[in-house]
Amino acid sequence: MRKYLARRAAYAAVTLLGVSLSVFVILRILPGDPLVAILGVEGHARMTPADRVRIMADLGLSDPLPVQYARWLVDIAAGELGKSFFRGDTVAELILHRGPISAEIGILALVVSWLVGLPVGILSAFKPNSIPDGLARAMSVLFIAIPGFWLGMLIVLALLFWFGYKAPIIIVHFWQDPWQNLQIVIGPAVVLGLAQGAYIARMSRSCLLEVIGEDFVRTARAKGLREGLIVMRHALPNALLPVITISGVLLGFVLGGSVAVEQAFGVPGLGRALVTAVIERDIIVVQNLVLLYAAIFVLVNVLVDLSYAWLDPRIRYS
Amino acid sequence: MVVRAAEQPAPGSPATVFAGQSLIGSMVGELGRFSRRNTLAALGGLVGLLIIFVAVAAPLLAPYDPLKADFRRMNKPPDAHNLLGTDQVGRDTLSRVIYGARTSLFVALSAVVLGTTVGSLWGVACGYLRGRFDLVSQRIMEILQAFPDLILAMAISMAIGTGLPAVIFAIAITRIPFGGRVIRSVALSVREMPYVEAGRASGASALRVMVYHVLPQCLAPYLVLATTHLGVAIVIEAALGFLGVGVPPPTPTWGNMLADSITALVPPWWLAFFPGLAITVTVLAFNLLGDGIRDTLDPRLSPAFLRMMTGGRRR
């Protein structure tokens, strides 16, 4: 297990290094002059060459690219993530301030997806091709197709029209006021959770049906066990592994999707900070936030792999 | 008559051959069988075709010019004049949704074809050549897959500037690793087949074997991949537009329209509802079609599809 863990961690580290390099390349080398990117063509043309040189040096953008890249890595290791070009607050502050909201949304979405998806999947697998199964499958097909940000917009609009309700739009952390905080995060969490739940329902249904066809389940049936006991005790634990993987993969959708969903709900999370930074062409912020999102995705997939190896010894020893 | 006859014969019987005397007859028969076995998928295909038709025939179908503002009719709810209402500057929502289909479908189709094709060719090369090339390629694809789709697309389109080609390119890049992984695994198994070995033994170059022997086997999974990813591409395009980093306004796209609708203090419901409905229906249609094609062409992919996205992890 320890060897497996070490190998997996090494892979993740290499991947992350590659991720950081590609983020750097995408944001620095592709578009030519970063000042044009930040200021726009007209803004750039209005500046004197001396100003340009000064600002470039200020931003640390006038060094050779390999030096810049190396310095960025050192900065990350030291927890110094640079400054927003427009706001003056550091990226680290931004992450600490807004990160908890987005993290809450992600975790709650995960909880919602399992709470909704697993029971629905089990129900479907209990009586395949029955009416409830058909309904559940139709719903999951529908929720996979509905874009989360649109569903979010509709929910916000409906609450506003019918109840005159609007969730708080300032940052309220859980430890400051749990009730207000919940009002902020619950909407995006439910929207993201339902979409994931649809995948989980689908996956757990197909995996359960696969397992139910196996010999040990027939043995359990032959012993005269109740159907409920067979599914919950014998089939479910064996069917859960792929569902866990899916959940980890889905995190990619949640991370990406949360950016749009936060925008739809007007939630002041990290996703909105990223969108703002992209629109303002705030390179330093974008670079660090994109890396952060990718890093979370990679790390969660490592955790999923580890949980896999822990739950299924066949993987650990192969 | 040919159509009916082609629909009837027992699968695999010689009647199939007789009924499908003409190529068109056999294709119709094939389609008939497909749609009877996958009613939902056929329905999805039909709706998809309808949407493609709407996109192509937009100038004929749209009642108004999608860009023409009419300041006498701003923010009007749906009525007899404007069936789906008008936006803040009096542009007709129905016309904009119809023209939006053009942009959205064009971007999604080109991005998926571009990304999946590049990824698939890469995957064939990886699976057939193996060795160091494969190893390095796999790391690169892992890196590409480490980014959440939307975030990678945002970063790329920010770097190369917004605009139609930039958005297509950005979405295409996010599709590459999926093609690469799935097709690579197909190529890996095909390369062990006796006829491929025969090709190698008779002195064919690696390129020739890949193009003439391995590539044709990848067509079915390629089609499956392309259709299943169409829906994803449409959602990414819409999300980019919604976030203001997609195809720039005033070009009507579904995402742009949604973005417009939330800038209002009291968002008009018709502006928020109809473009989103268009996205949902389109994605639903392509997803259903994709599921059906997958079940027909490549049942092996079925449960493994999502697992494949995890990076080909085995159970």
Side-chain angles (χ1 to χ4, degrees):
Chain A
M1 185 72 186
R2 189 168 297 162
K3 217 163 128 193
Y4 179 80
L5 199 143
R7 200 178 55 206
R8 203 61 194 77
Y11 265 127
V14 172
T15 306
L16 277 181
L17 206 66
V19 164
S20 71
L21 187 63
S22 29
V23 172
F24 188 80
V25 168
I26 290 171
L27 294 179
R28 297 293 166 82
I29 292 178
L30 279 179
D33 195 335
L35 269 192
V36 177
I38 294 170
L39 300 169
V41 179
E42 301 109 51
H44 182 258
R46 268 203 301 272
M47 295 178 88
T48 62
D51 276 347
R52 279 177 215 165
V53 172
R54 189 177 49 77
I55 291 181
M56 288 290 276
D58 240 25
L59 289 170
L61 295 177
S62 49
D63 298 320
L65 288 172
V67 175
Q68 286 186 38
Y69 177 63
R71 206 175 46 222
W72 183 37
L73 290 189
V74 172
D75 282 354
I76 291 171
E80 274 287 326
L81 296 180
K83 264 186 183 174
S84 157
F85 184 64
F86 296 95
R87 302 218 156 53
D89 40 358
T90 65
V91 179
E93 279 169 11
L94 188 77
I95 293 172
L96 283 180
H97 195 47
R98 287 168 170 244
I101 299 267
S102 296
E104 262 180 86
I105 291 175
I107 292 167
L108 262 179
L110 190 71
V111 173
V112 170
S113 72
W114 278 85
L115 282 183
V116 174
L118 200 59
V120 171
I122 294 173
L123 214 68
S124 278
F126 245 115
K127 287 212 175 74
N129 302 321
S130 63
I131 291 173
D133 176 36
L135 199 68
R137 284 162 75 188
M139 289 306 276
S140 65
V141 167
L142 188 67
F143 273 101
I144 287 172
I146 294 179
F149 58 90
W150 181 55
L151 189 59
M153 280 176 68
L154 291 185
I155 291 175
V156 169
L157 277 184
L159 289 176
L160 194 66
F161 271 126
W162 287 320
F163 303 104
Y165 168 82
K166 185 99 184 65
I169 49 169
I170 45 160
I171 301 176
V172 183
H173 287 299
F174 185 74
W175 52 89
Q176 288 166 337
D177 185 346
W179 175 235
Q180 291 262 321
N181 174 265
L182 191 68
Q183 290 182 43
I184 296 178
V185 296
I186 193 74
V190 166
V191 165
L192 290 167
L194 283 179
Q196 283 184 91
Y199 280 103
I200 288 186
R202 194 188 240 196
M203 196 71 185
S204 50
R205 175 185 182 273
S206 71
C207 291
L208 260 179
L209 285 178
E210 213 172 290
V211 172
I212 283 175
E214 281 185 31
D215 289 346
F216 71 91
V217 174
R218 195 171 37 189
T219 309
R221 281 221 174 91
K223 282 197 302 188
L225 287 184
R226 273 183 297 118
E227 191 64 24
L229 205 63
I230 294 172
V231 173
M232 302 307 283
R233 261 297 231 334
H234 294 258
L236 193 60
N238 285 288
L240 274 186
L241 284 173
V243 184
I244 291 174
T245 313
I246 276 298
S247 205
V249 176
L250 287 174
L251 190 86
F253 295 82
V254 174
L255 288 172
S258 71
V259 174
V261 172
E262 280 182 14
Q263 184 86 359
F265 277 94
V267 168
L270 216 49
R272 276 193 88 193
L274 178 61
V275 173
T276 313
V278 165
I279 290 173
E280 290 177 343
R281 304 189 157 275
D282 203 337
I283 294 178
I284 306 291
V285 177
V286 175
Q287 158 182 317
N288 285 299
L289 288 187
V290 170
L291 181 64
L292 179 70
Y293 273 95
I296 293 171
F297 193 22
V298 170
L299 288 181
V300 168
N301 274 311
V302 171
L303 287 183
V304 168
D305 269 9
L306 292 182
S307 72
Y308 228 66
W310 181 62
L311 290 169
D312 187 349
R314 280 175 302 180
I315 295 174
R316 207 180 315 161
Y317 298 118
S318 68
Chain B
M1 281 319 280
V2 180
V3 178
R4 283 203 64 83
E7 277 177 14
Q8 294 307 328
S13 75
T16 323
V17 183
F18 282 113
Q21 275 161 341
S22 67
L23 187 64
I24 295 177
S26 78
M27 270 171 65
V28 170
E30 203 59 58
L31 275 177
R33 258 194 305 284
F34 175 78
S35 52
R36 245 178 306 133
R37 229 180 285 154
N38 303 284
T39 323
L40 274 176
L43 197 70
L46 210 64
V47 174
L49 277 181
L50 195 73
I51 294 165
I52 292 175
F53 170 74
V54 167
V56 172
L60 302 174
L61 295 174
Y64 297 95
D65 180 346
L67 299 178
K68 194 165 160 281
D70 181 351
F71 295 106
R72 283 162 307 171
R73 294 186 53 79
M74 292 188 297
N75 274 323
K76 288 275 184 258
D79 57 17
H81 252 290
N82 304 91
L83 290 177
L84 303 186
T86 62
D87 66 4
Q88 288 97 329
V89 290
R91 294 175 298 196
D92 180 47
T93 308
L94 177 61
S95 308
R96 286 177 70 72
V97 169
I98 289 175
Y99 270 89
R102 270 194 158 183
T103 329
S104 297
L105 283 189
F106 180 69
V107 169
L109 274 171
S110 346
V112 166
V113 168
L114 185 67
T116 313
T117 307
V118 171
S120 300
L121 293 178
W122 195 355
V124 167
C126 288
Y128 185 75
L129 298 175
R130 301 206 296 196
R132 190 168 296 163
F133 175 75
D134 183 31
L135 220 63
V136 174
S137 302
Q138 289 309 302
R139 291 291 88 74
I140 295 177
M141 296 201 190
E142 238 160 63
I143 289 168
L144 278 178
Q145 269 188 322
F147 295 97
D149 292 345
L150 182 59
I151 288 171
L152 180 59
M154 269 169 74
I156 295 173
S157 85
M158 168 193 172
I160 54 184
T162 50
L164 205 66
V167 175
I168 292 174
F169 185 70
I171 299 176
I173 292 214
T174 65
R175 296 301 100 199
I176 288 178
F178 297 96
R181 283 191 183 281
V182 176
I183 302 297
R184 172 180 173 269
S185 71
V186 176
L188 271 178
S189 61
V190 171
R191 91 187 287 277
E192 306 302 332
M193 300 256 179
Y195 71 91
V196 174
E197 210 171 311
R200 255 199 311 270
S202 56
S205 69
L207 187 67
R208 190 182 169 84
V209 175
M210 278 194 276
V211 173
Y212 286 98
H213 301 302
V214 183
L215 211 53
Q217 296 300 317
C218 300
L219 190 65
Y222 173 84
L223 280 179
V224 173
L225 265 172
T227 16
T228 42
H229 280 269
L230 257 181
V232 184
I234 285 174
V235 172
I236 297 181
E237 191 274 334
L240 287 176
F242 175 67
L243 295 174
V245 289
V247 180
T251 309
T253 75
W254 296 332
N256 284 354
M257 295 177 72
L258 289 179
D260 282 347
S261 78
I262 57 163
T263 52
L265 199 60
V266 182
W269 65 266
W270 55 95
L271 278 187
F273 183 71
F274 293 116
L277 188 67
I279 301 171
T280 307
V281 170
T282 311
V283 173
L284 196 60
F286 285 131
N287 282 358
L288 288 175
L289 179 66
D291 285 356
I293 291 182
R294 183 184 60 207
D295 292 346
T296 309
L297 287 185
D298 202 346
R300 282 170 307 151
L301 277 178
S302 229
F305 166 62
L306 282 168
R307 245 175 270 158
M308 202 77 82
M309 298 167 48
T310 72
R313 207 175 286 126
R314 281 162 303 276
R315 189 147 75 97

